[in-house]
Amino acid sequence: MQNRPARNGQHGPVLLDDSRARFRLWAPDAQSVSLVIIGGDTLPMQANEDGWYSVEAEATAGTQYGFLIDDELQVPDPASRAQSADVHDPSILVDPDAYQWRNSQWQGRPWHETVLYELHVGTYGGYAEIEQRLQALADLGVTAIELMPLAEFPGDRNWGYDGVLLYAPEASYGTPEQLKHLIDTAHGLGLMVFIDVVYNHFGPDGNYLHRYAKHFFRHDQQTPWGDGIDFRRREVRDFFIDNALMWLMEYRFDGLRMDAVHAIPDRTFLPELAERVRAEVEPGRHVHLVLENEENRSSLLDSHFTAQWDDDGHNILHTLLTDESQGYYGEYHQDSTNKLVRFLGEGFIYQGQNNRRGESRGEPSGHLSPTSFVLFLQNHDQTGNRAFGDRLIGLTDPDALKAATTVLLLSPMIPLLFMGEEWGAREPFLFFTSHHGELADAVREGRRGEFAEFSEFADEQTRERIPDPNAVETYEASKPDFSKMDEPEHREWQELYRHLLKIRHSEVVPRLEGSSFLGAQALGEAAALARWRLGDGSELRLELNLSSVDVPVDPIPAGARLLHASRGAEAESQAGTLAARSAKMYLEAAR
């Protein structure tokens, strides 16, 4: 095995050779800490400066262990690389170099080639089932899969955003070696693999840090999940940065999607994380850092981060497709055409304007490349946070959805698909957990309470119909039924996605580097014309009409070539008009 000495301050155990390991724990609020080798010795750990405890012990890969705090509470390693069972159980010592990579020369792919496919490992069937479907995704035109969070969570059913052991892949999904095998297989097919990471909070069950490292948190800053994480402390910053580096370096993930970073108040942490990643990743390797950030901080995209999920783009398209206006969709329902124009012409809609709470949100974004924005029509949040997990295919007119799909797959923004979307799956994706006791009751009632402000859930009896997140039936209902993929309706959607992605890879992707926004204008209610300058000087032109009536359009410039019309020949109505619920994409050669 490769001898990898611990960096000073590094969290987690390090194998020193085939028979010994160094164990470390940052526990500044503990009076004493002992290492407990399951089935073996209990060894007192030496107290070092700054709250660290350490000990060297005889141990091999596979050894189970825990820490005994003040001779009264045994806890797992917060930097555990694997768990023997669940979040309260012993940790497992892992050799990070044991897996023999078959595609060790893989360097990733440039960002502009990215077509993301978000999936939940559990509902998709586990690592082995995902491997079996990778070839079909590559054949479709997907170039990257994005795994919802893997950090060990309580129970065996969870979205993953309740993770408490951030270094340990969820045991119910498989071993660390099986995860590496999935990534290795994907790389062999030319597919990148991204992981969604949660650095803004820990889940409510199984987090023992409050007991022995209270300074991991700060009581003067609150998040939706409780006390904020204290990123002012070096030990805390390193805990999360080392975690990011573990996924990228040891598991060879090609990128991170960072969940809800607007809930990280410290403005210096994200730039430092990005700088550390860029400094430590091997030269020539493509690694991509993607944000979810309600604050629309375009300044983070200028240098530190690759792209951001464009919730604005989703929200305006969803509102126009469904006419929904409750909750945050109300912000987009009002003045929706102008918001559509701003999204198509500049990326973000909120660039400093006040939101529904009267708060200024966002920074100017029109100077960014369109590839700085990840666009989606569906994702785990926008589907799963609906009361009944409805998919878009059941909420809108099929022609309008095909028009929006044209925008998704042929615009210069980076497209993201949500599992099953590409074949028109109708199974819901619900919110699910596997909590027990009082916590299960609180999660159930909290879930139902989220919809109290919606008119259709105004009475308690109606809210009780919202599926219980902890019921196994809720989880089972969220699994895509792949046996339906060959039915005629679903084959039609697959052919549309395959056709559009073929156009994207042949006509758009080779020209994407160096692309820029050229602006957009309204053509009528819920209709817009948008233009983008591509890297080779050519121009991409979108005509989009999500309304129920035809709208007038100017003649197409000479030399513009039609790439796709969402309604085919049916959309070729009288000259000078764009048919209702349709989209056309043109490519005009450089002049």
Side-chain angles (χ1 to χ4, degrees), residues 199 218 229-233 236-237 240 264-266 269:
Y199 293 162
R218 52 186 304 181
I229 294 171
D230 194 350
F231 287 97
R232 297 171 300 181
R233 299 195 67 96
V236 175
R237 294 169 86 92
F240 292 100
I264 300 176
D266 190 300
F269 169 70

Side-chain angles (χ1 to χ4, degrees), residues 143-251:
T143 65
I145 60 171
E146 180 176 310
L147 308 181
M148 288 175 65
L150 300 180
E152 185 76 47
F153 51 72
D156 56 6
R157 305 183 307 276
N158 198 293
W159 272 20
Y161 298 90
D162 285 338
V164 292
L165 298 175
L166 272 57
Y167 288 71
E170 168 59 30
S172 65
Y173 295 163
T175 65
E177 287 71 24
Q178 288 171 323
L179 173 57
K180 290 178 180 179
H181 193 275
L182 167 63
I183 296 168
D184 205 2
T185 302
H187 290 169
L189 294 171
L191 292 169
M192 296 181 284
V193 187
F194 286 64
I195 183 174
D196 195 341
V197 294
V198 183
Y199 293 162
N200 50 49
H201 76 289
F202 293 91
D205 181 18
N207 175 23
Y208 293 97
L209 287 167
H210 287 281
R211 169 61 179 81
Y212 57 82
K214 297 176 183 177
H215 296 294
F216 217 98
F217 306 92
R218 52 186 304 181
H219 306 301
D220 60 329
Q221 286 187 344
Q222 294 296 302
T223 74
W225 309 281
D227 289 345
I229 294 171
D230 194 350
F231 287 97
R232 297 171 300 181
R233 299 195 67 96
R234 182 75 265 158
E235 297 87 354
V236 175
R237 294 169 86 92
D238 284 345
F239 181 87
F240 292 100
I241 292 173
D242 286 349
N243 180 256
L245 290 169
M246 179 198 75
W247 294 122
L248 296 171
M249 306 299 286
E250 293 180 14
Y251 284 86

Side-chain angles (χ1 to χ4, degrees), residues 458-474:
D459 65 278
E460 185 175 345
Q461 186 175 4
T462 304
R463 291 198 296 274
E464 288 181 355
R465 293 193 298 109
I466 297 173
D468 178 0
N470 298 292
V472 67
E473 294 82 5
T474 301

Side-chain angles (χ1 to χ4, degrees), residues 257-311:
R257 182 266 188 185
M258 301 185 65
D259 178 68
V261 299
H262 49 269
I264 300 176
D266 190 300
R267 290 296 184 105
T268 65
F269 169 70
L270 291 174
E272 181 184 345
L273 182 148
E275 289 167 1
R276 289 270 299 277
V277 166
R278 305 298 182 200
E280 298 203 28
V281 166
E282 310 96 309
R285 185 175 162 209
H286 297 285
V287 166
H288 311 297
L289 302 177
V290 181
L291 301 174
E292 180 196 24
N293 189 357
E294 286 185 2
E295 294 179 346
N296 285 0
R297 287 175 59 195
S298 60
S299 54
L300 285 173
L301 307 177
D302 285 327
S303 57
H304 291 101
F305 289 86
T306 310
Q308 177 179 314
W309 275 29
D310 195 351
D311 283 318

